[in-house]
Amino acid sequence: MPGFRNVFERPEVASVRRRDDGVLEVRVTGLACDSICVRRTEAALRSLPNVSAVRFTPDPDVFLVETNGPPPDPSAMARVVHSMVVAPWARRLLTALAECFRRPRS
């Protein structure tokens, strides 16, 4: 679920599954908010070739992607999700700091 604690994670496409009705379920982790992050991710996924519609379902953080042709490659989805991150340098810094605090001290 999007939340402030996710500011310490890089948004990632965790899984892509094609349903029987042809809709792709794209689970994205690491979104920091329900508004801007979700809208930017929807727009990023919608920019891919053959994507006709994208909508977000908050439980379990899945974007439903409808296509009107061959579905986009999962690596292309990951690329556009990474491209939508606001201030990527800050997210990388926060992620690195979080990793430092997660490591066990000897």
Side-chain angles (χ1 to χ4, degrees):
M1 178 153 249
F4 183 74
R5 72 185 182 288
N6 290 340
V7 77
F8 297 104
E9 296 179 31
R10 182 177 176 181
E12 297 288 341
V13 173
S15 64
V16 178
R17 185 179 79 85
R18 189 174 189 97
R19 299 188 327 194
D20 291 339
D21 62 0
V23 173
L24 298 174
E25 291 182 350
V26 181
R27 192 168 74 79
V28 177
T29 59
L31 296 179
C33 63
D34 284 326
S35 56
I36 296 170
C37 294
V38 168
R39 282 196 306 259
R40 289 177 61 88
T41 303
E42 285 174 334
L45 291 170
R46 203 176 299 112
S47 74
L48 291 167
N50 300 323
V51 172
S52 56
V54 178
R55 66 186 181 282
F56 178 69
T57 59
D59 189 27
D61 293 341
V62 168
F63 291 86
L64 301 176
V65 178
E66 297 177 31
T67 61
N68 56 8
D73 182 65
S75 64
M77 289 186 225
R79 236 182 350 271
V80 297
V81 166
H82 290 157
S83 74
M84 71 84 201
V85 175
V86 175
W89 61 270
R91 290 292 285 265
R92 283 192 300 272
L93 175 65
L94 291 170
T95 301
L97 287 172
E99 282 300 312
C100 288
F101 288 108
R102 287 184 190 133
R103 289 187 196 133
R105 296 181 186 199
S106 16

